[in-house]
Amino acid sequence: MNDVESPEAYVWQPGPDYLGDSPMARVVRRMGARTPEDLYEISIAEPERYWSATMAELDIRWSVPYREFVDLSNGPEWPRWFVGGRMNIVDSALTKWADTRADADALVCNDEVGRSRTVAFGVLADMVGAAAASFRARGVVPGERVAIFAPMCVETAVAYLGALAVGAVVVPLFSGYGSGPVRTRLRDSEASVLVTADGFHRRGRLVPMKDIADVAVAGAPTVGTVVVIGHAGVETTGQQVAGRDVGWDRFMADGAGGDASILPMDPNDPALIIYTSGTTGRPKGTVHYHAGVGLKMAADLTQLTDLDVGCVSIHWSDFGWIVGPGLLLANLIAGATSVVFSGAPDHPGPEQVWRLVEESRATHLWLPPTLVRRLRSTTASVLPDFDLSSLKVLCSTGEAWDAETYRWYSSAVGGDRLPISNYAGGTEIAGGILGCVLSRPIRAGSFNTAVPGMAAAVVDEDGNPVTGRVGELAVAKPFVGMTQGFWGAPERYIETYWSQIPGLWVHGDWAERDADGYWYIRGRSDDTIKVSGKRIGPGEIESAATAHPGVVEAAAVGVPDPSRGSAVVLFVVPDGGAATVSGDAVGESLRAVLEPSSVPVAVHVVPDLPHTRTGKLMRRVVRAVYLGLDPGDLSGLEDPGTIERIALAVAADARAGASR
């Protein structure tokens, strides 16, 4: 710890013996290091030694040991890891627990209508073996793509792990997609099998997944098999197509007595193609491999959040995004229980979140800042009704925090006794760049470390490291977990991450590192607003806005301005329990705390803001609605009605202004 740090600045501090026998402490000892800070430095200088110790601690299984840690002969953009080895990540997630955790809970699946189902490690392993045999019985071979368009349920996990076990490449698809986005991704990946469900409930309504899938598959000629999970128990409007459609029970029975083995793979063989949305053009199919997906996230979370054997981790991510399949594998590798949820976590009310914590005796709770903001305005009256004493760590990822929400979460939910382990990375990383090691004090909204193995830096436009001011978040060396590129579009991958500053992975986040070594994410760099030649991040403005007692959420965007290039326009969502909030009052409060170039030229009060279902704020959509532009890909949008509500609010403000 730096001597100049002020204890008053911390929202959490560890006790004198906090490391104890934590996973981080065990890796520190394996490395012969003294502290987690020493371990980080070794992980950058000697990555092979770090990963050897980490894999030994995680008991990563190898069918054939690797002979070379990494081959960089094709350049840093295209590393090949663990050359000469053979492995399948499913062995490290399930097989290794056969003797020690067969009866322990591996997976608990809950849904919005109150159903819950628990599966033990041993039962899950048997189900995955049966699924592997069934995929083989239907002719699925290594490298073939199996798409999964289904809610977070037991069968989804079994299909995922069973497909990986036979060497297939899994294509997770967001459960909120319409038929168009599903069709696009099926065609792009050339999937031959689609696993879907009859439907699931979200915010009180049925999402008819099979009907959506039928329309999508009609335009995806490579799909020859559609496996249908009877999750919601509802009739679908489409017809069962003979020779193509098969129910889940029939599918599982087809492999009875067949080959249930787990196939050893080259560690660089693709395991997942996870699509991310863009503003325009073809979706990016991010390719991950057996020795990256699961391994990277398991290493991060065991070392940064004390995830360990017997822990219980709740997360709300959809299977279609990296946190869904990634965290499931990470928890299994760590020997922890995954508690997942199908539906909206705050429907019919915020008590859904806290009831699940109490009932599962969760140790780790994952909540994105956007969901915490919603809970902050609705949950105060119900929190005392639930026992949250099992919690050890509050985990967060997805976007930047505002100070007010962070402090509420720390105090109201954490009781000022729990660390908030902030974690930032991305789909293309299969884990994190920045995090919080629990042996060091934490400041509000901060990351107190770069993740071990990640040579992270904040750099200026020339790639020079900067301290105490905002720059681009970059990674200076290739790392285990980094994508093998975009499916069918290698040039687009190079353009996205490696072309801005030669030799550096530029992640697209605007970040800052202070003199004490604490890191802060200031928003996406493509959300940056340039006013009179000065770059302004939306995070600072939004944080100042939510400090207003009547504002629960905010979005700052840049719009064209003839004299300054761009100007800031702010959109705020009023706190449901507050008196009426006016844009003028919020703007006046901001003038007192922001420098003049950051003060919005207009503040619009809107009912809500557009988010992805994982909680990320879609500022580009807000800007497009304000300017009357094409908002781009909206396939991941939680509530399309938000767009019209923002447009109506802006129009009403314009009419009010004209009448003054």
Side-chain angles (χ1 to χ4, degrees), residues 145-165:
R145 271 75 68 202
V146 173
I148 301 180
F149 174 57
M152 292 295 279
C153 62
V154 170
E155 291 82 1
T156 296
V158 171
Y160 168 43
L161 298 169
L164 291 180

Side-chain angles (χ1 to χ4, degrees), residues 457-461 464-472 511-514:
V458 178
V459 300
D460 63 18
E461 57 272 18
N464 301 310
V466 296
T467 299
R469 63 186 178 93
V470 170
E472 291 279 1
E512 182 177 355
R513 189 181 188 195
D514 68 20

Side-chain angles (χ1 to χ4, degrees), residues 272-343:
L272 291 182
I273 302 171
I274 300 187
Y275 283 91
T276 62
S277 299
T279 53
T280 59
R282 171 185 172 191
K284 298 177 293 186
T286 305
V287 181
H288 290 292
Y289 49 98
H290 273 265
V293 68
L295 169 59
K296 160 67 172 161
M297 199 173 289
D300 291 358
L301 299 186
T302 53
Q303 294 172 23
L304 299 178
T305 75
D306 285 358
L307 183 70
D308 206 350
V309 174
C311 286
V312 178
S313 175
I314 297 180
H315 73 91
W316 314 90
S317 179
D318 191 88
F319 185 73
W321 310 127
I322 184 63
V323 173
L327 196 53
L328 176 60
L329 271 177
N331 286 335
L332 291 172
I333 291 168
T337 302
S338 284
V339 180
V340 299
F341 191 84
S342 170

Side-chain angles (χ1 to χ4, degrees), residues 149 151 174-178 196-212 231-232 234 236 343 613:
F149 174 57
F174 172 47
S175 65
Y177 281 149
T196 189
D198 52 356
F200 74 104
H201 290 87
R202 183 169 178 84
R203 298 206 176 276
R205 71 177 185 89
L206 179 70
V207 179
M209 300 193 82
K210 175 57 164 60
D211 297 342
I212 294 169
H231 177 72
V234 298
T236 59
R613 201 178 277 184

Side-chain angles (χ1 to χ4, degrees), residues 107 590 604:
L107 180 63
L590 294 180
H604 297 283

Side-chain angles (χ1 to χ4, degrees), residues 524-542:
R524 295 292 295 172
S525 54
D526 52 9
D527 287 333
T528 298
I529 307 163
K530 199 168 186 178
V531 179
S532 299
K534 180 179 181 180
R535 296 196 304 174
I536 299 170
E540 179 185 4
I541 302 167
E542 293 162 0

